[in-house]
Short mmCIF file of all heavy atoms in Angstrom, two decimals:
data_model
loop_
_atom_site.label_atom_id
_atom_site.label_comp_id
_atom_site.label_asym_id
_atom_site.label_seq_id
_atom_site.Cartn_x
_atom_site.Cartn_y
_atom_site.Cartn_z
N MET U 93 84.12 47.62 133.42
CA MET U 93 83.20 47.95 132.35
C MET U 93 82.37 46.70 132.04
O MET U 93 82.84 45.60 132.01
CB MET U 93 83.99 48.37 131.09
CG MET U 93 83.12 48.67 129.95
SD MET U 93 84.03 49.51 128.65
CE MET U 93 82.75 50.60 128.09
N LEU U 94 81.14 46.94 131.72
CA LEU U 94 80.19 45.88 131.38
C LEU U 94 80.58 45.24 130.05
O LEU U 94 80.70 45.95 129.05
CB LEU U 94 78.76 46.42 131.27
CG LEU U 94 77.66 45.46 130.88
CD1 LEU U 94 77.52 44.42 131.99
CD2 LEU U 94 76.38 46.20 130.71
N ARG U 95 80.80 43.99 130.02
CA ARG U 95 81.19 43.26 128.81
C ARG U 95 80.09 42.26 128.49
O ARG U 95 79.97 41.24 129.13
CB ARG U 95 82.52 42.57 128.95
CG ARG U 95 83.68 43.54 129.27
CD ARG U 95 84.05 44.39 128.11
NE ARG U 95 84.50 43.51 127.06
CZ ARG U 95 85.02 43.99 125.95
NH1 ARG U 95 85.09 45.25 125.74
NH2 ARG U 95 85.41 43.14 124.98
N ILE U 96 79.34 42.54 127.45
CA ILE U 96 78.24 41.71 127.03
C ILE U 96 78.74 40.75 125.97
O ILE U 96 79.53 41.15 125.03
CB ILE U 96 77.10 42.57 126.47
CG1 ILE U 96 76.57 43.51 127.58
CG2 ILE U 96 75.97 41.72 125.91
CD1 ILE U 96 75.64 44.61 127.07
N PRO U 97 78.39 39.46 126.02
CA PRO U 97 78.90 38.55 124.99
C PRO U 97 78.55 39.00 123.58
O PRO U 97 77.47 39.53 123.35
CB PRO U 97 78.16 37.22 125.30
CG PRO U 97 77.84 37.34 126.78
CD PRO U 97 77.59 38.80 127.01
N ARG U 98 79.44 38.83 122.67
CA ARG U 98 79.31 39.32 121.28
C ARG U 98 78.07 38.77 120.60
O ARG U 98 77.54 39.40 119.69
CB ARG U 98 80.57 38.99 120.51
CG ARG U 98 80.56 39.69 119.16
CD ARG U 98 81.82 40.19 118.68
NE ARG U 98 82.44 41.24 119.56
CZ ARG U 98 83.73 41.27 119.80
NH1 ARG U 98 84.55 40.40 119.28
NH2 ARG U 98 84.20 42.22 120.58
N ARG U 99 77.62 37.59 120.95
CA ARG U 99 76.41 37.05 120.31
C ARG U 99 75.16 37.92 120.52
O ARG U 99 74.21 37.78 119.83
CB ARG U 99 76.18 35.59 120.78
CG ARG U 99 75.77 35.50 122.23
CD ARG U 99 75.54 33.98 122.61
NE ARG U 99 75.17 33.86 123.93
CZ ARG U 99 75.99 33.71 124.96
NH1 ARG U 99 77.33 33.68 124.76
NH2 ARG U 99 75.57 33.56 126.18
N PHE U 100 75.24 38.83 121.48
CA PHE U 100 74.12 39.77 121.74
C PHE U 100 74.42 41.12 121.13
O PHE U 100 73.71 42.10 121.42
CB PHE U 100 73.90 39.90 123.20
CG PHE U 100 73.52 38.60 123.88
CD1 PHE U 100 74.33 38.07 124.86
CD2 PHE U 100 72.34 37.98 123.58
CE1 PHE U 100 73.99 36.86 125.48
CE2 PHE U 100 71.96 36.80 124.18
CZ PHE U 100 72.79 36.22 125.14
N SER U 101 75.44 41.26 120.28
CA SER U 101 75.79 42.55 119.74
C SER U 101 74.65 43.22 118.95
O SER U 101 74.52 44.42 118.88
CB SER U 101 77.05 42.44 118.85
OG SER U 101 76.81 41.65 117.72
N HIS U 102 73.80 42.39 118.29
CA HIS U 102 72.64 42.92 117.58
C HIS U 102 71.72 43.71 118.46
O HIS U 102 71.29 44.80 118.15
CB HIS U 102 71.89 41.77 116.91
CG HIS U 102 70.51 42.12 116.45
ND1 HIS U 102 70.32 42.87 115.29
CD2 HIS U 102 69.29 41.87 116.99
CE1 HIS U 102 68.99 43.05 115.16
NE2 HIS U 102 68.37 42.45 116.17
N PHE U 103 71.51 43.19 119.68
CA PHE U 103 70.62 43.88 120.63
C PHE U 103 71.29 45.12 121.17
O PHE U 103 70.66 46.16 121.35
CB PHE U 103 70.23 42.94 121.76
CG PHE U 103 69.42 41.78 121.29
CD1 PHE U 103 70.03 40.50 121.20
CD2 PHE U 103 68.12 41.92 120.93
CE1 PHE U 103 69.26 39.44 120.76
CE2 PHE U 103 67.39 40.87 120.46
CZ PHE U 103 67.97 39.62 120.40
N VAL U 104 72.59 45.07 121.45
CA VAL U 104 73.34 46.22 121.97
C VAL U 104 73.33 47.31 120.95
O VAL U 104 73.05 48.52 121.22
CB VAL U 104 74.74 45.82 122.40
CG1 VAL U 104 75.57 47.10 122.78
CG2 VAL U 104 74.76 44.80 123.52
N PHE U 105 73.57 46.98 119.68
CA PHE U 105 73.58 47.95 118.58
C PHE U 105 72.20 48.58 118.49
O PHE U 105 72.06 49.81 118.41
CB PHE U 105 74.00 47.26 117.27
CG PHE U 105 73.95 48.20 116.11
CD1 PHE U 105 75.04 48.98 115.78
CD2 PHE U 105 72.79 48.33 115.35
CE1 PHE U 105 74.99 49.86 114.68
CE2 PHE U 105 72.72 49.22 114.27
CZ PHE U 105 73.85 50.00 113.96
N GLY U 106 71.16 47.76 118.47
CA GLY U 106 69.81 48.29 118.33
C GLY U 106 69.40 49.19 119.49
O GLY U 106 68.77 50.23 119.27
N PHE U 107 69.83 48.85 120.67
CA PHE U 107 69.55 49.63 121.89
C PHE U 107 70.17 50.98 121.74
O PHE U 107 69.56 52.02 121.97
CB PHE U 107 70.03 48.90 123.10
CG PHE U 107 69.59 49.48 124.38
CD1 PHE U 107 68.27 49.31 124.83
CD2 PHE U 107 70.46 50.18 125.20
CE1 PHE U 107 67.86 49.84 126.04
CE2 PHE U 107 70.11 50.66 126.41
CZ PHE U 107 68.74 50.56 126.82
N ILE U 108 71.49 51.04 121.39
CA ILE U 108 72.18 52.26 121.30
C ILE U 108 71.68 53.10 120.12
O ILE U 108 71.48 54.34 120.25
CB ILE U 108 73.69 52.01 121.14
CG1 ILE U 108 74.24 51.40 122.42
CG2 ILE U 108 74.47 53.28 120.81
CD1 ILE U 108 75.66 50.83 122.28
N GLN U 109 71.48 52.46 118.97
CA GLN U 109 70.99 53.19 117.78
C GLN U 109 69.63 53.77 118.02
O GLN U 109 69.39 54.93 117.62
CB GLN U 109 71.04 52.23 116.62
CG GLN U 109 70.75 52.89 115.25
CD GLN U 109 69.27 52.88 114.89
OE1 GLN U 109 68.51 52.05 115.39
NE2 GLN U 109 68.86 53.84 114.10
N SER U 110 68.73 53.03 118.63
CA SER U 110 67.38 53.62 118.88
C SER U 110 67.44 54.73 119.85
O SER U 110 66.73 55.73 119.70
CB SER U 110 66.43 52.51 119.34
OG SER U 110 66.78 52.03 120.59
N GLY U 111 68.29 54.65 120.85
CA GLY U 111 68.41 55.74 121.84
C GLY U 111 68.96 57.01 121.21
O GLY U 111 68.40 58.09 121.44
N LEU U 112 69.96 56.89 120.38
CA LEU U 112 70.53 58.04 119.74
C LEU U 112 69.56 58.70 118.74
O LEU U 112 69.36 59.90 118.71
CB LEU U 112 71.81 57.68 119.01
CG LEU U 112 72.56 58.80 118.26
CD1 LEU U 112 72.96 59.88 119.22
CD2 LEU U 112 73.76 58.25 117.53
N THR U 113 68.93 57.85 117.95
CA THR U 113 67.97 58.35 116.95
C THR U 113 66.83 59.07 117.64
O THR U 113 66.41 60.14 117.20
CB THR U 113 67.45 57.20 116.08
OG1 THR U 113 68.54 56.59 115.45
CG2 THR U 113 66.44 57.72 115.03
N CYS U 114 66.30 58.49 118.71
CA CYS U 114 65.18 59.09 119.47
C CYS U 114 65.59 60.39 120.13
O CYS U 114 64.86 61.35 120.18
CB CYS U 114 64.60 58.12 120.45
SG CYS U 114 63.77 56.73 119.70
N ALA U 115 66.84 60.43 120.60
CA ALA U 115 67.36 61.65 121.23
C ALA U 115 67.39 62.81 120.25
O ALA U 115 66.94 63.94 120.57
CB ALA U 115 68.76 61.42 121.81
N VAL U 116 67.86 62.54 119.06
CA VAL U 116 67.96 63.59 118.04
C VAL U 116 66.53 64.00 117.58
O VAL U 116 66.25 65.19 117.51
CB VAL U 116 68.76 63.11 116.83
CG1 VAL U 116 68.67 64.11 115.65
CG2 VAL U 116 70.23 62.89 117.22
N ALA U 117 65.68 63.06 117.32
CA ALA U 117 64.34 63.38 116.90
C ALA U 117 63.53 64.16 118.00
O ALA U 117 62.85 65.12 117.68
CB ALA U 117 63.57 62.10 116.54
N ALA U 118 63.71 63.75 119.25
CA ALA U 118 63.01 64.44 120.34
C ALA U 118 63.58 65.84 120.51
O ALA U 118 62.81 66.76 120.80
CB ALA U 118 63.18 63.65 121.64
N ALA U 119 64.86 66.04 120.31
CA ALA U 119 65.45 67.40 120.40
C ALA U 119 64.89 68.30 119.34
O ALA U 119 64.52 69.49 119.58
CB ALA U 119 66.99 67.34 120.31
N ILE U 120 64.78 67.78 118.11
CA ILE U 120 64.26 68.57 116.98
C ILE U 120 62.77 68.94 117.26
O ILE U 120 62.38 70.06 117.09
CB ILE U 120 64.38 67.82 115.67
CG1 ILE U 120 65.89 67.75 115.32
CG2 ILE U 120 63.60 68.51 114.57
CD1 ILE U 120 66.16 66.79 114.18
N ALA U 121 62.03 67.98 117.76
CA ALA U 121 60.60 68.18 118.03
C ALA U 121 60.41 69.14 119.26
O ALA U 121 59.35 69.76 119.39
CB ALA U 121 59.89 66.90 118.35
N SER U 122 61.41 69.26 120.11
CA SER U 122 61.31 70.11 121.29
C SER U 122 61.80 71.55 121.10
O SER U 122 61.72 72.38 122.01
CB SER U 122 62.09 69.50 122.43
OG SER U 122 61.56 68.19 122.79
N ILE U 123 62.31 71.88 119.95
CA ILE U 123 62.83 73.22 119.68
C ILE U 123 61.82 74.31 119.98
O ILE U 123 62.19 75.33 120.56
CB ILE U 123 63.42 73.34 118.23
CG1 ILE U 123 64.70 72.55 118.16
CG2 ILE U 123 63.59 74.76 117.84
CD1 ILE U 123 65.30 72.48 116.78
N PRO U 124 60.52 74.12 119.67
CA PRO U 124 59.58 75.22 120.01
C PRO U 124 59.51 75.51 121.52
O PRO U 124 59.04 76.58 121.91
CB PRO U 124 58.26 74.63 119.53
CG PRO U 124 58.60 73.70 118.44
CD PRO U 124 59.87 73.11 118.90
N PHE U 125 59.95 74.64 122.41
CA PHE U 125 59.89 74.80 123.84
C PHE U 125 61.09 75.61 124.36
O PHE U 125 61.20 75.84 125.56
CB PHE U 125 59.77 73.49 124.52
CG PHE U 125 58.47 72.78 124.27
CD1 PHE U 125 58.33 71.93 123.21
CD2 PHE U 125 57.37 73.08 125.07
CE1 PHE U 125 57.11 71.31 122.94
CE2 PHE U 125 56.12 72.45 124.83
CZ PHE U 125 56.01 71.56 123.77
N LEU U 126 62.08 75.96 123.50
CA LEU U 126 63.16 76.76 123.91
C LEU U 126 62.84 78.08 124.52
O LEU U 126 63.31 78.49 125.60
CB LEU U 126 64.14 77.01 122.73
CG LEU U 126 65.17 75.93 122.42
CD1 LEU U 126 65.90 76.20 121.12
CD2 LEU U 126 66.16 75.73 123.52
N ALA U 127 61.91 78.80 123.87
CA ALA U 127 61.51 80.15 124.33
C ALA U 127 60.81 80.06 125.71
O ALA U 127 60.97 80.97 126.52
CB ALA U 127 60.60 80.83 123.29
N ALA U 128 60.06 79.04 125.94
CA ALA U 128 59.31 78.87 127.21
C ALA U 128 60.22 78.36 128.34
O ALA U 128 59.79 78.36 129.47
CB ALA U 128 58.15 77.96 127.03
N GLY U 129 61.44 77.98 128.02
CA GLY U 129 62.36 77.45 129.03
C GLY U 129 62.05 76.03 129.43
O GLY U 129 62.49 75.60 130.52
N ALA U 130 61.28 75.33 128.66
CA ALA U 130 60.85 73.96 129.00
C ALA U 130 61.49 72.91 128.07
O ALA U 130 61.04 71.80 128.00
CB ALA U 130 59.35 73.86 128.95
N PHE U 131 62.57 73.34 127.36
CA PHE U 131 63.20 72.42 126.36
C PHE U 131 63.64 71.13 126.99
O PHE U 131 63.31 70.03 126.49
CB PHE U 131 64.33 73.15 125.63
CG PHE U 131 65.08 72.24 124.71
CD1 PHE U 131 64.61 72.06 123.42
CD2 PHE U 131 66.28 71.61 125.08
CE1 PHE U 131 65.25 71.22 122.52
CE2 PHE U 131 66.95 70.78 124.23
CZ PHE U 131 66.42 70.55 122.95
N VAL U 132 64.44 71.21 128.03
CA VAL U 132 65.07 70.01 128.62
C VAL U 132 64.01 69.07 129.15
O VAL U 132 64.03 67.87 128.89
CB VAL U 132 66.08 70.42 129.73
CG1 VAL U 132 66.57 69.15 130.44
CG2 VAL U 132 67.23 71.18 129.13
N THR U 133 63.01 69.60 129.85
CA THR U 133 61.95 68.76 130.39
C THR U 133 61.19 68.06 129.28
O THR U 133 60.95 66.85 129.32
CB THR U 133 61.00 69.60 131.28
OG1 THR U 133 61.76 70.26 132.31
CG2 THR U 133 59.92 68.74 131.87
N HIS U 134 60.78 68.85 128.30
CA HIS U 134 60.00 68.28 127.17
C HIS U 134 60.82 67.30 126.40
O HIS U 134 60.38 66.23 126.04
CB HIS U 134 59.53 69.39 126.26
CG HIS U 134 58.59 68.91 125.20
ND1 HIS U 134 59.01 68.51 123.96
CD2 HIS U 134 57.25 68.75 125.19
CE1 HIS U 134 58.01 68.07 123.25
NE2 HIS U 134 56.91 68.25 123.97
N TRP U 135 62.13 67.62 126.16
CA TRP U 135 63.03 66.70 125.44
C TRP U 135 63.21 65.38 126.16
O TRP U 135 63.10 64.35 125.56
CB TRP U 135 64.38 67.40 125.20
CG TRP U 135 65.34 66.45 124.59
CD1 TRP U 135 65.43 66.03 123.27
CD2 TRP U 135 66.43 65.78 125.23
NE1 TRP U 135 66.42 65.18 123.11
CE2 TRP U 135 67.09 64.97 124.30
CE3 TRP U 135 66.88 65.76 126.57
CZ2 TRP U 135 68.18 64.18 124.60
CZ3 TRP U 135 67.99 64.97 126.91
CH2 TRP U 135 68.58 64.21 125.91
N LEU U 136 63.45 65.43 127.45
CA LEU U 136 63.66 64.17 128.20
C LEU U 136 62.40 63.31 128.20
O LEU U 136 62.49 62.10 128.00
CB LEU U 136 64.07 64.52 129.65
CG LEU U 136 65.52 64.89 129.86
CD1 LEU U 136 65.77 65.32 131.30
CD2 LEU U 136 66.45 63.72 129.49
N GLN U 137 61.25 63.96 128.39
CA GLN U 137 59.98 63.16 128.35
C GLN U 137 59.74 62.55 127.01
O GLN U 137 59.41 61.38 126.86
CB GLN U 137 58.81 64.04 128.78
CG GLN U 137 58.82 64.41 130.24
CD GLN U 137 57.69 65.41 130.57
OE1 GLN U 137 57.18 66.06 129.67
NE2 GLN U 137 57.44 65.59 131.86
N SER U 138 59.95 63.35 125.92
CA SER U 138 59.75 62.87 124.59
C SER U 138 60.74 61.78 124.24
O SER U 138 60.37 60.76 123.63
CB SER U 138 59.91 64.00 123.60
OG SER U 138 58.93 64.99 123.86
N TRP U 139 62.00 61.95 124.61
CA TRP U 139 63.02 61.03 124.28
C TRP U 139 62.79 59.69 124.97
O TRP U 139 62.85 58.62 124.37
CB TRP U 139 64.43 61.54 124.73
CG TRP U 139 65.48 60.53 124.64
CD1 TRP U 139 66.03 59.99 123.52
CD2 TRP U 139 66.05 59.84 125.75
NE1 TRP U 139 66.97 59.03 123.85
CE2 TRP U 139 67.02 58.92 125.21
CE3 TRP U 139 65.89 59.89 127.12
CZ2 TRP U 139 67.77 58.10 126.02
CZ3 TRP U 139 66.65 59.07 127.91
CH2 TRP U 139 67.59 58.19 127.34
N LEU U 140 62.44 59.71 126.29
CA LEU U 140 62.19 58.47 127.01
C LEU U 140 61.00 57.69 126.41
O LEU U 140 61.12 56.48 126.18
CB LEU U 140 61.96 58.75 128.48
CG LEU U 140 61.80 57.52 129.35
CD1 LEU U 140 63.03 56.63 129.30
CD2 LEU U 140 61.52 57.95 130.80
N MET U 141 59.95 58.41 126.10
CA MET U 141 58.76 57.71 125.53
C MET U 141 59.10 57.13 124.14
O MET U 141 58.75 56.00 123.84
CB MET U 141 57.60 58.69 125.43
CG MET U 141 56.32 58.07 124.86
SD MET U 141 55.70 56.65 125.78
CE MET U 141 55.14 57.46 127.21
N ALA U 142 59.79 57.93 123.34
CA ALA U 142 60.16 57.47 122.00
C ALA U 142 61.12 56.24 122.10
O ALA U 142 60.98 55.29 121.32
CB ALA U 142 60.80 58.57 121.21
N TRP U 143 62.06 56.29 123.03
CA TRP U 143 63.02 55.21 123.16
C TRP U 143 62.34 53.90 123.59
O TRP U 143 62.60 52.84 123.05
CB TRP U 143 64.14 55.57 124.11
CG TRP U 143 65.38 54.73 123.96
CD1 TRP U 143 65.65 53.85 123.03
CD2 TRP U 143 66.48 54.77 124.85
NE1 TRP U 143 66.89 53.31 123.26
CE2 TRP U 143 67.41 53.84 124.34
CE3 TRP U 143 66.80 55.49 126.00
CZ2 TRP U 143 68.66 53.61 124.94
CZ3 TRP U 143 68.03 55.23 126.62
CH2 TRP U 143 68.94 54.34 126.11
N ILE U 144 61.40 54.04 124.53
CA ILE U 144 60.69 52.83 124.99
C ILE U 144 59.89 52.24 123.88
O ILE U 144 59.85 51.01 123.69
CB ILE U 144 59.76 53.22 126.20
CG1 ILE U 144 60.60 53.52 127.42
CG2 ILE U 144 58.75 52.12 126.47
CD1 ILE U 144 59.85 54.12 128.57
N MET U 145 59.28 53.07 123.02
CA MET U 145 58.48 52.56 121.90
C MET U 145 59.36 52.08 120.74
O MET U 145 59.02 51.09 120.08
CB MET U 145 57.54 53.70 121.40
CG MET U 145 56.59 54.22 122.43
SD MET U 145 55.40 53.06 122.98
CE MET U 145 54.41 52.91 121.52
N MET U 146 60.47 52.73 120.49
CA MET U 146 61.27 52.43 119.28
C MET U 146 62.25 51.26 119.45
O MET U 146 62.50 50.57 118.49
CB MET U 146 62.07 53.71 118.90
CG MET U 146 62.50 53.69 117.53
SD MET U 146 61.05 53.71 116.44
CE MET U 146 61.79 53.37 114.93
N THR U 147 62.72 50.98 120.64
CA THR U 147 63.69 49.93 120.80
C THR U 147 63.20 48.56 120.29
O THR U 147 63.87 47.91 119.52
CB THR U 147 64.18 49.83 122.29
OG1 THR U 147 64.81 51.06 122.57
CG2 THR U 147 65.14 48.71 122.47
N PRO U 148 62.01 48.09 120.68
CA PRO U 148 61.56 46.84 120.15
C PRO U 148 61.36 46.82 118.61
O PRO U 148 61.65 45.81 117.96
CB PRO U 148 60.22 46.53 120.84
CG PRO U 148 60.10 47.57 121.89
CD PRO U 148 61.06 48.64 121.65
N ILE U 149 60.91 47.97 118.12
CA ILE U 149 60.72 48.09 116.64
C ILE U 149 62.05 47.92 115.90
O ILE U 149 62.19 47.15 114.98
CB ILE U 149 60.03 49.37 116.25
CG1 ILE U 149 58.61 49.38 116.80
CG2 ILE U 149 60.02 49.60 114.74
CD1 ILE U 149 57.92 50.72 116.76
N VAL U 150 63.10 48.61 116.40
CA VAL U 150 64.41 48.52 115.79
C VAL U 150 64.95 47.09 115.90
O VAL U 150 65.50 46.56 114.93
CB VAL U 150 65.38 49.52 116.47
CG1 VAL U 150 66.83 49.25 116.10
CG2 VAL U 150 65.01 50.96 116.09
N LEU U 151 64.83 46.46 117.06
CA LEU U 151 65.37 45.14 117.28
C LEU U 151 64.69 44.09 116.36
O LEU U 151 65.34 43.21 115.86
CB LEU U 151 65.25 44.75 118.72
CG LEU U 151 66.12 45.52 119.69
CD1 LEU U 151 65.86 45.08 121.17
CD2 LEU U 151 67.59 45.42 119.33
N PHE U 152 63.40 44.23 116.19
CA PHE U 152 62.72 43.23 115.38
C PHE U 152 62.77 43.56 113.87
O PHE U 152 62.70 42.67 113.04
CB PHE U 152 61.25 43.08 115.82
CG PHE U 152 61.14 42.43 117.17
CD1 PHE U 152 60.59 43.08 118.22
CD2 PHE U 152 61.59 41.16 117.35
CE1 PHE U 152 60.49 42.47 119.48
CE2 PHE U 152 61.50 40.52 118.60
CZ PHE U 152 60.96 41.20 119.65
N ALA U 153 62.91 44.82 113.53
CA ALA U 153 62.97 45.22 112.10
C ALA U 153 64.32 45.03 111.50
O ALA U 153 64.45 44.88 110.29
CB ALA U 153 62.48 46.63 111.94
N ALA U 154 65.40 45.08 112.31
CA ALA U 154 66.74 45.03 111.80
C ALA U 154 67.05 43.85 110.92
O ALA U 154 67.65 43.99 109.83
CB ALA U 154 67.74 45.11 112.92
N PRO U 155 66.67 42.64 111.25
CA PRO U 155 66.96 41.47 110.39
C PRO U 155 66.25 41.62 109.02
O PRO U 155 66.86 41.31 107.99
CB PRO U 155 66.39 40.28 111.16
CG PRO U 155 66.42 40.70 112.59
CD PRO U 155 66.13 42.17 112.56
N ALA U 156 65.03 42.10 109.05
CA ALA U 156 64.32 42.29 107.78
C ALA U 156 64.97 43.39 106.91
O ALA U 156 65.09 43.24 105.70
CB ALA U 156 62.86 42.62 108.01
N ILE U 157 65.41 44.43 107.57
CA ILE U 157 66.09 45.52 106.86
C ILE U 157 67.41 45.02 106.27
O ILE U 157 67.79 45.36 105.14
CB ILE U 157 66.30 46.72 107.77
CG1 ILE U 157 64.93 47.34 108.15
CG2 ILE U 157 67.19 47.80 107.12
CD1 ILE U 157 64.98 48.37 109.22
N ARG U 158 68.12 44.18 107.04
CA ARG U 158 69.36 43.62 106.53
C ARG U 158 69.14 42.75 105.30
O ARG U 158 69.88 42.84 104.34
CB ARG U 158 70.05 42.79 107.64
CG ARG U 158 71.25 43.46 108.21
CD ARG U 158 72.02 42.53 109.14
NE ARG U 158 72.18 43.27 110.35
CZ ARG U 158 71.60 43.00 111.52
NH1 ARG U 158 70.81 41.92 111.58
NH2 ARG U 158 71.78 43.69 112.56
N ARG U 159 68.10 41.93 105.32
CA ARG U 159 67.80 41.08 104.19
C ARG U 159 67.39 41.94 102.97
O ARG U 159 67.83 41.70 101.85
CB ARG U 159 66.64 40.10 104.53
CG ARG U 159 67.12 38.92 105.32
CD ARG U 159 66.05 37.83 105.40
NE ARG U 159 64.83 38.30 106.10
CZ ARG U 159 64.67 38.25 107.40
NH1 ARG U 159 65.60 37.82 108.20
NH2 ARG U 159 63.53 38.63 107.96
N LEU U 160 66.60 42.92 103.16
CA LEU U 160 66.17 43.83 102.08
C LEU U 160 67.41 44.54 101.55
O LEU U 160 67.53 44.72 100.31
CB LEU U 160 65.13 44.88 102.56
CG LEU U 160 64.63 45.83 101.52
CD1 LEU U 160 63.95 45.07 100.34
CD2 LEU U 160 63.66 46.76 102.19
N THR U 161 68.30 45.04 102.37
CA THR U 161 69.51 45.66 101.94
C THR U 161 70.34 44.70 101.07
O THR U 161 70.91 45.11 100.04
CB THR U 161 70.33 46.15 103.11
OG1 THR U 161 69.53 47.03 103.88
CG2 THR U 161 71.63 46.89 102.68
N TYR U 162 70.45 43.46 101.48
CA TYR U 162 71.19 42.45 100.74
C TYR U 162 70.58 42.24 99.34
O TYR U 162 71.26 42.13 98.39
CB TYR U 162 71.26 41.18 101.54
CG TYR U 162 72.09 40.11 100.88
CD1 TYR U 162 73.48 40.14 100.92
CD2 TYR U 162 71.52 39.08 100.14
CE1 TYR U 162 74.24 39.17 100.32
CE2 TYR U 162 72.25 38.10 99.51
CZ TYR U 162 73.62 38.17 99.60
OH TYR U 162 74.41 37.23 98.98
N ILE U 163 69.24 42.22 99.30
CA ILE U 163 68.54 42.04 98.00
C ILE U 163 68.77 43.23 97.07
O ILE U 163 68.90 43.07 95.88
CB ILE U 163 67.02 41.77 98.27
CG1 ILE U 163 66.80 40.45 98.92
CG2 ILE U 163 66.22 41.92 97.01
CD1 ILE U 163 65.41 40.26 99.49
N LEU U 164 68.75 44.41 97.65
CA LEU U 164 68.87 45.67 96.82
C LEU U 164 70.25 46.03 96.43
O LEU U 164 70.47 46.95 95.63
CB LEU U 164 68.20 46.85 97.56
CG LEU U 164 66.70 46.72 97.84
CD1 LEU U 164 66.24 47.84 98.75
CD2 LEU U 164 65.96 46.72 96.51
N THR U 165 71.26 45.36 96.97
CA THR U 165 72.66 45.66 96.65
C THR U 165 73.31 44.52 95.90
O THR U 165 72.78 43.44 95.87
CB THR U 165 73.45 46.01 97.93
OG1 THR U 165 73.40 44.92 98.81
CG2 THR U 165 72.88 47.30 98.59
N ARG U 166 74.49 44.78 95.39
CA ARG U 166 75.24 43.72 94.71
C ARG U 166 76.72 43.78 95.07
O ARG U 166 77.19 44.83 95.54
CB ARG U 166 75.10 43.86 93.18
CG ARG U 166 75.66 45.13 92.64
CD ARG U 166 75.47 45.22 91.10
NE ARG U 166 75.75 46.51 90.61
CZ ARG U 166 76.98 46.99 90.37
NH1 ARG U 166 78.03 46.24 90.56
NH2 ARG U 166 77.14 48.20 89.89
N GLU U 167 77.41 42.66 94.86
CA GLU U 167 78.85 42.59 95.03
C GLU U 167 79.55 43.40 93.99
O GLU U 167 79.12 43.35 92.82
CB GLU U 167 79.32 41.16 94.99
CG GLU U 167 79.01 40.34 96.23
CD GLU U 167 79.82 40.77 97.45
OE1 GLU U 167 80.99 41.16 97.34
OE2 GLU U 167 79.27 40.74 98.54
N ASP U 168 80.59 44.07 94.32
CA ASP U 168 81.34 44.81 93.28
C ASP U 168 82.43 43.91 92.68
O ASP U 168 82.90 43.03 93.13
CB ASP U 168 82.01 46.07 93.86
CG ASP U 168 80.97 47.15 94.03
OD1 ASP U 168 79.98 47.16 93.34
OD2 ASP U 168 81.21 48.03 94.89
#
């Protein structure tokens, strides 16, 4: 099994998270293609394009989102 050093876990998390999120969004957007029998083709094309576009955004936005989350929350 591929073992990536833990110092890169931020990138691994972002890669997996963006892929899953894009897969779900592309599936929802592809529902109208069920009747035409083109769901899988449309879903794969949409998912791949969305994943390519979204991965860098997730990787670069995550630190800012973490900081904002820290600002908006408090210790109990």
